[in-house]
Amino acid sequence: DPLVYTWKLESVPNGSTATLSSTSAARPTFTADKAGSYLASLSVSDGTLTSNFATVTVTASAVNAAPTARIDTVAPVAVGKTITLDGSASADPDRDPLSYKWVLISQPTGAGQALSSTTVAKPTLLVSEPGNYVASLVVNDSTANSDYAFITLTALAAPLAKAQLTDGTGPITGDIPSGTALILDASQSTDPAKAALSYKWRLTIAPAANTVAIATDTAAKASFAPTEPGDSVITLVVSNVATDSNLVTLLLKVVAAEP
């Protein structure tokens, strides 16, 4: 005789919203949306009599999701510094504990350094030579590896500061009449890695009566017009975001301007 089917999803894991695609089809489906056991029952009828119940248990296992390796960025640092590589932002969707595997892929010629550890979240590295250091990180959740994460660390040597006094037409040597408009020129300062430089001019010594400051004291070319006779000392330091240069000193011997 033709059969009529009656299905029922008797129990599902906590939090599951699974439902049968049909309660009367011969082969209904459902989506196991949570890990655990799903119990279904079936009875059939031939129009006159109904069968006993048959049951089936479907066990769904959680599918492991691969972790993601992440490395925090590191700003350029000065040669001779020890830096920390930070992989602690790496994460696993299943919140499984992670293990770490770091590799120092490349470093400047002559550096010959090693990571303090290849298996901790935050190893350290001494950057002994200027240039780029490249490291990779893979994390594992005991089942799957992440994709590789990479970081390039830049170590910068100190820049070289150079300064001269000009009046706009050429260098100034000797005594300087008071009131002379001077240009403090640091444009010949250099950086080994050709990094961008910042400038800091300071008037460290001046006659007591002097009331004039250096104009645009953070520019490559600053200006200063001494108003009082006497010795003035101006210093310059340039920086490349990682470290400062040598200190350059300019001695200005200012004399009274001729009437």
Side-chain angles (χ1 to χ4, degrees):
D1 296 327
L3 295 177
V4 175
Y5 300 87
T6 302
W7 288 93
K8 184 177 180 182
L9 207 51
E10 300 286 355
S11 64
V12 297
N14 188 38
S16 172
T17 59
T19 58
L20 293 169
S21 61
S22 170
T23 60
S24 59
R27 300 176 67 183
T29 62
F30 74 94
T31 299
D33 57 352
K34 296 289 182 181
S37 295
Y38 297 76
L39 177 63
S41 66
L42 168 67
S43 67
V44 294
S45 172
D46 62 4
T48 302
L49 297 174
T50 299
S51 73
N52 60 309
F53 283 94
T55 61
V56 63
T57 299
V58 178
T59 301
S61 300
V63 177
N64 181 70
T68 301
R70 295 189 181 93
I71 307 173
D72 285 353
T73 57
V74 178
V77 295
V79 170
K81 296 290 185 180
T82 296
I83 59 175
T84 298
L85 305 180
D86 189 351
S88 61
S90 301
D92 184 76
D94 306 317
R95 299 186 179 181
D96 295 328
L98 296 177
S99 60
Y100 300 82
K101 183 177 181 181
W102 292 90
V103 175
L104 186 58
I105 298 172
S106 65
Q107 55 185 309
T109 301
Q113 300 302 315
L115 295 169
S116 62
S117 172
T118 60
T119 58
V120 298
K122 296 181 179 182
T124 60
L125 174 68
L126 171 66
V127 290
S128 58
E129 296 291 335
N132 291 329
Y133 297 73
V134 180
S136 68
L137 170 65
V138 170
V139 294
N140 182 279
D141 63 1
S142 79
T143 301
N145 284 334
S146 68
D147 290 334
Y148 283 91
F150 298 93
I151 186 171
T152 299
L153 316 165
T154 301
L156 298 177
L160 177 64
K162 294 182 181 180
Q164 66 174 346
L165 286 172
T166 77
D167 59 5
T169 60
I172 293 178
T173 59
D175 294 340
I176 301 170
S178 58
T180 302
L182 302 174
I183 296 175
L184 312 177
D185 188 354
S187 60
Q188 297 304 306
S189 300
T190 57
D191 183 83
K194 298 183 179 180
L197 295 175
S198 59
Y199 304 84
K200 181 61 180 177
W201 296 95
R202 290 186 62 192
L203 180 61
T204 57
I205 297 175
N210 176 74
T211 59
V212 177
I214 297 173
T216 60
D217 60 358
T218 58
K221 291 185 178 181
S223 57
F224 179 63
T227 59
E228 303 297 330
D231 289 346
S232 293
V233 174
I234 293 174
T235 60
L236 167 70
V237 172
V238 299
S239 302
N240 63 7
V241 311
T243 186
D244 293 336
S245 70
N246 54 306
L247 179 72
V248 174
T249 301
L250 297 176
L251 173 61
L252 284 63
K253 290 191 170 294
V254 181
V255 299
E258 294 183 3

